[in-house]
Amino acid sequence: LMAGERRRRGGDGPRERPRERLRDRDPKLRQQQKPQRGSGRGRTALALTAAAAALALCLAAAAAGWKRWSEASRLVTPHPAPPAVPPGSTGPLASPTYFWGTYRPHVYFGMKTRSPRSVVTGLMWLQHGGNLRHTSEQNDGVSRYGWLMHDGENFGVQEIRDEGLVLRTEFVKQPGGEHGGDWSWRVTAKMEGKGPAPLLSLFFYVATDGQGTLRPVLENGTRLAAVAGTAEELGDFTLTFLPPTGEGGEGPKYASYNFLAAGVPGLHRLTDLVRHSLRESSVFSPPGRPRRRFFGVSSTGGLPGEPPRGQLLLHQVTLEAPAVLEVTLESGSAAGARHGRLAGPALSAALARHAAAFERRFEDAFGLGTRGVSLPQRRFAQAALSEMLGGIGFFHGHSLLRSEHREEPVPGMESVLFTAVPSRSCFPRGFLWDEGFHLLLLARWDPALARDILAHWLDLLNADGWIPREQILGEEARSRVPPEFVLQHSETANPPTLLLALERLLPDAPLPYLRRLFPRVRSWFEWLNRTQAGPEPFTFRWRGRDPDPERFLNPKTLSSGLDDYPRASHPSAQERHLDLRCWMALGARVLAALAERLGEPHAPYRDMAAALSDNDLLDRLHWAPELGAFADFGNHSSAVALRWHRPAPVPGRPPAAPQLRRELREAPRLQFVAALGYVSLFPLLLQLLRVDSPRLPALLGSMSSEQQLWTPFGLRSLARDSPLYLRRNTEHDPPYWRGSVWVNINFLALRALHGYARAAGPHRERAARLYRELRQNLVANVFRQYEATGFLWEHYRDSDGTGQGCHPFAGWSALVVLAMAEDY
């Protein structure tokens, strides 16, 4: 525009008038132009100057406000790149295999579709005299539960043990029609032990959440025989509740029936709605047997004061175990392709076929039988994989976000997410750094499924390239999260473990798929590089450490994924975080390989990967000679302790309770952090160290030292001789990453040791020996704890290998399957 203006005027600028040129040359003339003090012209000039200054201030304020508004709006704006999941690709026609699934990991048994407003189905049960069971809870007294077989597509078998009751839940899908085909359930109930069996009620339900209609089909006016439904994604469908039979097809089983038709204020209130409707007024009266009262549902119209948003139809069957009950969903559009109802003997045959196919596929994928693994261990490995597949969920909703540019939290963009979850009881939602580990296992079992999940995660990017680390989408997900963890902060990152999965998927992934991913992966990496930069070139620092450091023995760093792992005692901008630097090296390496495969410019990523992998630079920035290991750097003091303090009294108020606060015995200074543990190993874990690195023997020594990281159950997270080993962080905050054995980091250690053992180098034999012993210890302990408790656990106690934390935890703990297969 400026050049065009010059051309229009015939020169480089507007012609100067002669008087202006003369005035500029003659100082006397310039002096004559100055306004005289007190003159009208002077007052006018002063007023104009003040107005100009005020205008400038207004413009500056407006510019600052515009910047804040623009940055805040980008927080909730989707990334402009084309979606990684093509529109329509998850629908019943484009993806019938994955349309229906057990995508409700927070309930013991239920199914839904990959639709934002899906019709949902589920199971509740009640042993009369006990508690109503529906959502899987950490401490609800259910002694064991989990999927024994699940192929992630069409079939699954789960076993639940609850106070003498054994429930076996099975499902099979069959294709057909335009709306995802049909499926059938079988629930088998048995009692363990002797003595009279309590009455058992099984509640089968179907519910909507603002989309779709349901119509009850009653038999004899009392039994809900079927539900006729219509939904946008399902078309017309019929859900049929077949009468119960004895175990092994022994004919009809006596039962009492109740049904509930009610409005639903939200799917997160289903349990409350059913519990509210129960009345001890129903009677179980089998012929020739004593009558017994039980709690039966009765229509209440919904929960008081909560307007309905959808419908619930529930079929309650009350009986004595043993018994078998079946439920079928038949799609209206599949009627022409259907060869009889999938129930009874036909369902038994289908279940047997799928079980045999699962066994064959599992052996083809992992080869444990060929390796001579015992049958109990193979069953355990199948269950570990199946529990992860059965823990895949489909979520829809808005995250709640907080930006440094806004005082109030805002709902994020409307999102959907298809993801595995870490734990059905504790964490039935998506976690960013967990998912990369999940996908390593899923990529071996079903690469197409892993690619689909990875694409869903990358579609969560906002305009800046940020992905919230915890995905709490929808009311059902939010109802399971403590309030203090709901908000996601826009400066907070998480380890980019999705790149581990992408690196594994990269060689065989279709090029069109990779082209959709590339701009999003690049933007995410650039966001990390920009927002998590450290104080010096090629250093990085996790943002979002705990803002009140005096409450904690060591302020947590949730963004790192390692939570309470010891960092610098006094958070500051001078920190250098070793693990983040190593993750960025991995990111640059993967992005370079991805760009090269696509024919995109890759030299900048190769150069960055080389710089971040430079062993000499790594030494200068992170080698702590006094520790004999790599370490973080920051404003740190090891002389800290928690002490009880009584707040100063306030006149007119009762004495305040004592508080546990941090005390310093020695002032902090800039230095390496005296904590040897998982962070110290990251240059080895992500294989950044050369095979001939002079630092490799020290790391291998720390890993094999019982005084430091070695245990008979795996590598502990923090060395026994570290100052904060097994130390509580607050009164209510027990040690977490301060000594326990974690499977995900042990898997990275096995993966790295396996690589160093196969590469020619001076430490090859030592790495191989350490690899064999560590693999044996880890696998044996995780299996032993599963046999004893029925669960995979979040982490394991370093003193005796006991499972700790959340259970079941078939997230990254299921990586034990890849360790058993030596598949890295």
Side-chain angles (χ1 to χ4, degrees):
L1 286 173
M2 293 174 65
E5 179 68 7
R6 287 197 296 271
R7 286 195 299 272
R8 186 178 67 79
R9 294 178 179 272
D12 288 338
R15 295 182 182 274
E16 296 178 322
R17 291 189 288 274
R19 181 166 178 164
E20 289 174 338
R21 294 200 303 273
L22 178 63
R23 183 185 303 133
D24 291 341
R25 289 196 300 269
D26 190 336
K28 292 181 180 180
L29 289 175
R30 290 202 303 271
Q31 181 68 27
Q32 292 174 5
Q33 299 303 312
K34 292 182 179 179
Q36 300 299 312
R37 186 183 303 274
S39 69
R41 180 180 294 179
R43 286 195 300 270
T44 302
L46 287 172
L48 289 173
T49 301
L55 178 61
L57 288 173
C58 290
L59 290 174
W66 167 261
K67 183 181 180 184
R68 286 194 301 271
W69 178 88
S70 175
E71 290 172 338
S73 67
R74 291 175 66 82
L75 178 70
V76 298
T77 301
H79 194 274
V85 180
S89 63
T90 62
L93 287 175
S95 184
T97 301
Y98 300 117
F99 184 61
W100 271 106
T102 52
Y103 302 145
R104 306 182 66 210
H106 64 292
V107 301
Y108 286 106
F109 187 44
M111 291 176 66
K112 63 179 288 188
T113 62
R114 294 204 296 180
S115 309
R117 293 290 181 189
S118 174
V119 170
V120 304
T121 59
L123 169 71
M124 304 180 191
W125 73 92
L126 172 65
Q127 292 191 75
H128 291 274
N131 295 313
L132 179 67
R133 310 293 198 195
H134 179 214
T135 56
S136 51
E137 307 287 346
Q138 175 75 7
N139 297 308
D140 64 359
V142 175
S143 57
R144 289 187 179 213
Y145 65 95
W147 293 96
L148 305 178
M149 294 184 180
H150 198 304
D151 65 4
E153 299 176 5
N154 299 306
F155 155 81
V157 178
Q158 179 182 218
E159 188 173 271
I160 303 167
R161 294 176 179 267
D162 177 23
E163 298 178 349
L165 172 67
V166 180
L167 287 178
R168 185 179 178 91
T169 68
E170 303 169 278
F171 78 93
V172 170
K173 291 159 49 183
Q174 64 178 6
E178 301 177 351
H179 300 91
D182 301 344
W183 53 255
S184 295
W185 291 358
R186 175 177 288 168
V187 177
T188 304
K190 296 189 295 185
M191 294 300 299
E192 291 183 316
K194 298 179 180 180
L199 281 181
L200 171 67
S201 286
L202 297 168
F203 306 83
F204 299 92
Y205 66 84
V206 56
T208 66
D209 190 20
Q211 192 269 321
T213 58
L214 307 173
R215 182 174 59 83
V217 179
L218 297 179
E219 181 182 90
N220 300 325
T222 57
R223 191 179 90 84
L224 184 64
V227 173
T230 301
E232 182 179 342
E233 305 90 353
L234 294 175
D236 295 331
F237 63 91
T238 302
L239 193 70
T240 303
F241 306 109
L242 299 171
T245 63
E247 190 178 15
E250 297 176 357
K253 182 84 176 182
Y254 178 83
S256 294
Y257 301 101
N258 301 71
F259 80 92
L260 173 64
V264 179
L267 297 179
H268 63 298
R269 300 303 308 276
L270 284 176
T271 308
D272 295 331
L273 177 59
V274 174
R275 189 180 288 119
H276 177 74
S277 73
L278 289 171
R279 303 285 186 274
E280 194 177 15
S281 56
S282 297
V283 177
F284 182 78
S285 54
R289 304 273 300 281
R291 294 159 56 91
R292 285 191 276 176
R293 287 191 173 276
F294 66 91
F295 285 91
V297 293
S298 59
S299 294
T300 62
L303 291 170
E306 298 189 43
R309 204 166 64 200
Q311 291 178 267
L312 168 70
L313 289 178
L314 178 141
H315 172 56
Q316 178 182 356
V317 186
T318 302
L319 43 67
E320 294 174 319
V324 177
L325 299 95
E326 295 178 353
V327 179
T328 66
L329 181 135
E330 294 171 307
S331 171
S333 63
R338 187 177 301 119
H339 301 290
R341 174 172 288 166
L342 189 60
L347 177 56
S348 298
L351 287 167
R353 285 195 305 273
H354 280 282
F358 175 84
E359 297 264 9
R360 291 192 300 271
R361 182 177 173 183
F362 186 87
E363 179 60 25
D364 290 343
F366 302 105
L368 299 188
T370 304
R371 301 177 67 84
V373 175
S374 69
L375 181 59
Q377 284 199 328
R378 295 204 306 271
R379 293 281 183 246
F380 153 70
Q382 289 175 357
L385 169 70
S386 298
E387 184 66 6
M388 178 183 282
L389 289 164
I392 291 175
F394 184 85
F395 303 92
H396 165 257
H398 303 264
S399 292
L400 197 59
L401 310 178
R402 169 156 283 167
S403 165
E404 57 187 1
H405 307 293
R406 293 182 68 111
E407 292 184 6
E408 296 299 321
V410 294
M413 57 195 182
E414 187 174 6
S415 303
V416 297
L417 180 61
F418 187 49
T419 183
V421 304
S423 169
R424 292 168 61 190
S425 62
C426 291
F427 308 116
R429 54 193 180 275
F431 280 75
L432 179 56
W433 98 291
D434 293 65
E435 194 59 25
F437 291 112
H438 301 165
L439 291 177
L440 292 175
L441 178 57
L442 296 179
R444 168 55 60 197
W445 176 254
D446 188 342
L449 175 64
R451 291 195 299 266
D452 196 7
I453 290 175
L454 176 58
H456 273 84
W457 271 97
L458 291 173
D459 274 348
L460 297 171
L461 259 74
N462 72 356
D464 288 323
W466 173 59
I467 304 175
R469 71 182 189 93
E470 199 169 333
Q471 293 296 317
I472 308 169
L473 303 176
E475 292 172 324
E476 281 193 287
R478 193 166 299 162
S479 67
R480 300 294 297 272
V481 183
E484 62 269 26
F485 296 115
V486 170
L487 275 181
Q488 303 299 299
H489 297 264
S490 63
E491 77 281 3
T492 302
N494 226 200
T497 58
L498 295 180
L499 299 174
L500 288 171
L502 179 57
E503 188 173 43
R504 180 160 189 155
L505 291 165
L506 190 56
D508 300 316
L511 285 178
Y513 170 81
L514 295 177
R515 290 196 187 282
R516 294 196 301 273
L517 261 56
F518 179 65
R520 293 177 171 272
V521 175
R522 178 178 58 196
S523 183
W524 184 34
F525 180 78
E526 289 171 353
W527 180 88
L528 287 163
N529 195 31
R530 182 176 67 253
T531 65
Q532 309 297 301
E536 299 180 38
F538 302 111
T539 67
F540 296 89
R541 174 172 69 88
W542 295 112
R543 302 307 199 264
R545 294 193 64 191
D546 271 322
D548 182 9
E550 301 314 311
R551 282 185 54 223
F552 305 98
L553 186 64
N554 188 270
K556 296 193 296 294
T557 313
L558 294 176
S559 52
S560 73
L562 303 178
D563 295 13
D564 68 341
Y565 185 93
R567 307 283 180 168
S569 61
H570 290 66
S572 70
Q574 284 71 48
E575 284 181 86
R576 304 197 294 258
H577 290 142
L578 172 63
D579 52 334
L580 180 52
R581 186 184 194 279
C582 296
W583 284 121
M584 294 303 291
L586 168 76
R589 182 178 81 208
V590 174
L591 201 50
L594 175 59
E596 188 171 11
R597 174 130 193 252
L598 293 174
E600 299 282 350
H602 60 274
Y605 304 115
R606 287 277 179 221
D607 293 345
M608 186 174 182
L612 292 176
S613 302
D614 182 278
N615 282 202
D616 294 333
L617 183 58
L618 183 65
D619 257 18
R620 183 177 70 79
L621 294 170
H622 285 288
W623 181 259
E626 65 275 18
L627 193 64
F630 293 103
D632 284 350
F633 182 88
N635 194 29
H636 182 65
S637 172
S638 293
V640 295
L642 293 175
R643 295 282 185 267
W644 288 103
H645 289 265
R646 186 174 294 279
V650 178
R653 294 186 181 179
Q659 296 177 348
L660 203 58
R661 307 292 289 182
R662 186 172 70 174
E663 283 188 354
L664 290 175
R665 296 190 297 271
E666 181 181 308
R669 59 183 175 85
L670 289 175
Q671 60 178 316
F672 288 108
V673 178
L676 193 155
Y678 283 167
V679 165
S680 311
L681 300 180
F682 260 84
L684 179 149
L685 297 177
L686 297 183
Q687 300 175 65
L688 304 183
L689 291 183
R690 299 188 307 266
V691 294
D692 61 348
S693 167
R695 304 305 184 196
L696 203 50
L699 294 188
L700 295 176
S702 295
M703 294 168 74
S704 58
S705 167
E706 293 183 6
Q707 189 59 29
Q708 294 184 318
L709 302 181
W710 185 263
T711 81
F713 320 107
L715 300 176
R716 58 168 64 93
S717 44
L718 190 63
R720 288 178 63 185
D721 56 6
S722 287
L724 297 188
Y725 169 69
L726 291 186
R727 298 280 296 279
R728 298 182 71 88
N729 213 32
T730 69
E731 178 187 3
H732 306 291
D733 204 359
Y736 200 43
W737 292 84
R738 297 185 182 177
S740 292
V741 175
W742 294 78
V743 173
N744 61 328
I745 303 299
N746 275 268
F747 176 80
L748 290 180
L750 288 173
R751 179 175 175 261
L753 291 170
H754 189 259
Y756 285 115
R758 291 162 63 91
H763 314 295
R764 182 177 185 176
E765 290 185 7
R766 188 177 183 185
R769 183 172 63 254
L770 191 59
Y771 166 77
R772 289 191 299 270
E773 294 176 5
L774 177 60
R775 175 177 171 270
Q776 168 62 27
N777 288 352
L778 183 74
V779 171
N781 186 64
V782 175
F783 170 65
R784 184 165 53 246
Q785 293 301 312
Y786 177 82
E787 288 284 278
T789 67
F791 295 114
L792 289 168
W793 292 79
E794 186 180 9
H795 51 103
Y796 296 84
R797 192 158 58 207
D798 66 325
S799 58
D800 58 10
T802 299
Q804 293 183 301
C806 293
H807 64 280
F809 196 93
W812 59 45
S813 293
L815 286 172
V816 68
V817 180
L818 291 180
M820 294 171 73
E822 296 190 272
D823 185 349
Y824 306 109

